[in-house]
Amino acid sequence: RKEVEQDPGPFNVPEGATVAFNCTYSNSASQSFFWYRQDCRKEPKLLMSVYSSGNEDGRFTAQLNRASQYISLLIRDSKLSDSATYLCVVNSFSGGYNKLIFGAGTRLAVHP
Amino acid sequence: NAGVTQTPKFQVLKTGQSMTLQCAQDMNHNSMYWYRQDPGMGLRLIYYSASEGTTDKGEVPNGYNVSRLNKREFSLRLESAAPSQTSVYFCASSEAQGTASYEQYFGPGTRLTVT
């Protein structure tokens, strides 16, 4: 089983739609959670951190469910510029080192 | 402020050839990382350097070596390239281990093809 699992998509949605992605993780000891965005043939960039109480940044809302070990990302009022791959990222502490585990990503395509 | 830079951007190698991928960051970060990204598999950690003078193996270190030349620079070497090493390679950096802010900043990547 992968440590971080995501639906690869693609999610094809019209502009203005609301879309949600989920991600599950296997390490119950994980403490830090993030969503990164990766545009085609570009490097990943941090979109937002995910806090236990949930957090919102404009049109983006991230939620964490520790009991079920999943993280979600909700995008409201989708824009064409939201088209990208969204990577779910979870920390893992092993061997004395705190590292990040990246999911394979969920692809979003927003169309006019 | 360039962030994280990588060279080269593209490279084609023949099986058995060697090469070094260069990475530099100007954010005064202590930790640096090398990842590879393959379709459907997500980013996988090859090697990391928690601080200047230290390097450790990540998830997929076989076939690679690294050098933390100084605080700014972290290079990745392929001694004898194999077709299985065809991938996109990303270098990243972050603040010191254990801080609340753990964002990793990535370079633009190197697209490597081994024939």
Side-chain angles (χ1 to χ4, degrees):
Chain A
R1 181 186 171 189
K2 291 181 182 178
E3 290 189 68
V4 178
E5 296 209 57
Q6 297 182 249
D7 180 343
F11 285 64
N12 292 299
V13 303
E15 274 186 292
T18 295
V19 62
F21 309 137
N22 287 330
C23 158
T24 58
Y25 61 95
S26 61
N27 187 348
S28 60
S30 294
Q31 295 295 322
S32 302
F33 309 91
F34 310 90
W35 283 101
Y36 275 68
R37 170 190 169 131
Q38 186 173 23
D39 293 306
C40 186
R41 301 181 71 79
K42 297 286 190 182
E43 71 272 23
K45 292 184 180 179
L46 180 68
L47 176 67
M48 59 196 304
S49 301
V50 185
Y51 304 120
S52 296
S53 55
N55 49 301
E56 189 174 306
D57 183 1
R59 298 181 293 107
F60 299 83
T61 300
Q63 299 271 349
L64 169 63
N65 184 319
R66 285 188 187 273
S68 301
Q69 293 181 212
Y70 80 78
I71 307 152
S72 65
L73 177 68
L74 181 77
I75 305 174
R76 290 181 298 278
D77 188 22
S78 298
K79 311 289 185 192
L80 293 175
S81 57
D82 294 333
S83 297
T85 297
Y86 292 83
L87 308 177
C88 175
V89 185
V90 174
N91 86 299
S92 173
F93 190 82
S94 65
Y97 180 72
N98 193 3
K99 63 181 180 180
L100 296 184
I101 307 296
F102 287 79
T106 298
R107 193 154 62 89
L108 171 65
V110 182
H111 57 82
Chain B
N1 189 335
V4 180
T5 57
Q6 290 183 236
T7 55
K9 285 189 166 49
F10 301 94
Q11 184 71 50
V12 179
L13 291 178
K14 294 187 189 306
T15 297
Q17 287 184 318
S18 62
M19 77 162 296
T20 299
L21 281 65
Q22 306 286 353
C23 173
Q25 52 93 7
D26 62 4
M27 295 174 283
N28 202 35
H29 285 165
N30 285 311
S31 299
M32 297 185 73
Y33 316 84
W34 276 105
Y35 293 91
R36 60 178 289 172
Q37 187 174 35
D38 301 293
M41 299 196 70
L43 287 154
R44 291 183 292 168
L45 184 64
I46 304 171
Y47 270 92
Y48 64 92
S49 172
S51 61
E52 185 179 357
T54 69
T55 61
D56 286 284
K57 295 178 180 179
E59 183 186 352
V60 288
N62 291 345
Y64 306 95
N65 283 300
V66 291
S67 295
R68 183 74 183 266
L69 304 170
N70 47 55
K71 191 170 186 179
R72 289 187 65 248
E73 298 172 288
F74 188 37
S75 63
L76 178 72
R77 183 161 179 82
L78 287 71
E79 291 292 351
S80 179
S84 61
Q85 294 178 304
T86 293
S87 188
V88 180
Y89 291 85
F90 287 103
C91 177
S93 70
S94 70
E95 293 182 9
Q97 279 283 289
T99 62
S101 173
Y102 201 76
E103 178 179 0
Q104 290 188 12
Y105 297 81
F106 285 81
T110 295
R111 282 165 176 74
L112 175 66
T113 301
V114 183
T115 61

